[in-house]
Amino acid sequence: MRNKLSTALIALLIAGRLSAADPTPPGLAELHRNPEYAALYEEEEQLRQRIGELQEEIAELRRDLRENPQARETSTQEILARESEMLARQTARTRTAARLRALEQQWLALHPDGIPADTEEETLGAQVPEARQQRSLVRNEIFREYLPVQDREALCLAQEREREALARFERLRENYRQSDRIKAAYDTVRTEEEAAGLLEEYRRGTARGELLKDSLLTVWNAVYDDKSYAYDYLLDRWGDEELIAREEKALDELRRRLAAAQAEGLRPGTAEYRYGRLRLLAYERSVAEAAGLTLAADSLRSVAAAFEKEEYRFPAPLFVERCFLDYAPIEFSARGGYSAKNPIPACPVHPRGVIYRILLGEFRYRQDPSIFRNAQPLYLLPTDEGRYRYFAGGFASKEEALAAQEALRAKGFRNPEVVVWYDGAYTNLSRTPEAAAAFRIEISEAESLSEQVRRAIVHTAPDCELSRAGDLFVVGRLDDRASAESVAAAIREADPKLRIEVIGTGD
């Protein structure tokens, strides 16, 4: 309930704040001769300008981060620093506004003759006749009466931009849905060619989602800040301590919900916007009810009820890149398998995954397939020096490759060598076994990995790829066994039922 003194204060401020021809600064003209009062108004204006600058700087940093992801750590720290400064300045602006209102209250208390008689019976919360109400809260006359011109203009602009934020949220949500559909298709395709196209499409969708998320939060944060400041300003003027305390608790609840959403692993952007908008709608409804604006309160209640039903829970995926590795044992065909009509195929080099093969020889010229004694499958790979390497088989482990090497020796091959490709990098283990200081973790007997396991992997091995090769999930590459064993232990703790093995390519 607003007292008569507060009512009088508002009535005396209206004319000075709304008259474009009046050069007098906002507030009580008589008080501008008070050095403290004038300094506070100047400080409030400087704070308002700096908050606007910080919002622009944060938006620019987010654009730089999208264009230069290599500088993620530096850009993220700068964004956090500016957001911290903006919060501090918003808090300072609220305190400055409160001190200005206190000085105005004191002046009016000492000058009761300045209180217009027709305002003495007005009370906050009295029902405003519906003929004078607007369904849109910010269009009601209460804001024209109570807010400084600049803050009211910022509030009206925020109301317009709220529709823009909602449209961006809907585009972001649809992009997430499309990415999930692409991922589901990627997880089930049977050929590497199909998978490559879907993987590229998924990556484009992920990049587009980052742009949409940054765009949404840039607009939404500006809307939320400007609207919250205007409503905080009103509550402070009205002196409604109960409503102020209630909104502070609501803000604490918002922070708790956002922390829980982050811990749950929801995709960035959707939870921040949804919870923030619901909190703001509830705040606006409280302001409308306190001001006796029943049409606006009913409208806000309907908007909140509809928005609360909107889907927003999109768990952030831990994408498992599939490896289409051509594992195959070495066999010998009595009839032979390769000829001029059926030449030895090119050896595929996979960008992800680990595969062992047996190098049968390196030659200056192409060889007739018959010299390889009908071994299958064979592969041919030209070198950068113009020579030709011939390989046989494809194996998932070094143990399998060593067994195949011995079998080839028994067949009369003089110098079969074990080689390995690890994420596309080639190493001849027979010649340089010390060069293969690399380890990976293989997870078998699992159709899928739980969210807990995936998070354990991200936490303990943030720079490693999680891929799938046949029925195996593979985590790697790790440079030493101790690190690999630490990651494996975290996975076992997350799901003791999994079968986990640390594999070293040089073991």
Side-chain angles (χ1 to χ4, degrees), residues 180-194:
D180 284 345
R181 289 192 288 267
I182 294 171
K183 181 181 180 299
Y186 175 84
D187 288 342
T188 58
V189 294
R190 295 181 177 274
T191 68
E192 191 168 7
E193 291 74 17
E194 291 176 296

Side-chain angles (χ1 to χ4, degrees), residues 332-362:
F332 295 88
S333 170
R335 300 172 56 185
Y338 300 102
S339 63
K341 293 183 178 180
N342 182 34
I344 296 173
C347 183
V349 177
H350 303 279
R352 292 286 182 269
V354 179
I355 187 168
Y356 298 82
R357 299 191 194 277
I358 306 299
L359 175 64
L360 300 179
E362 183 176 313

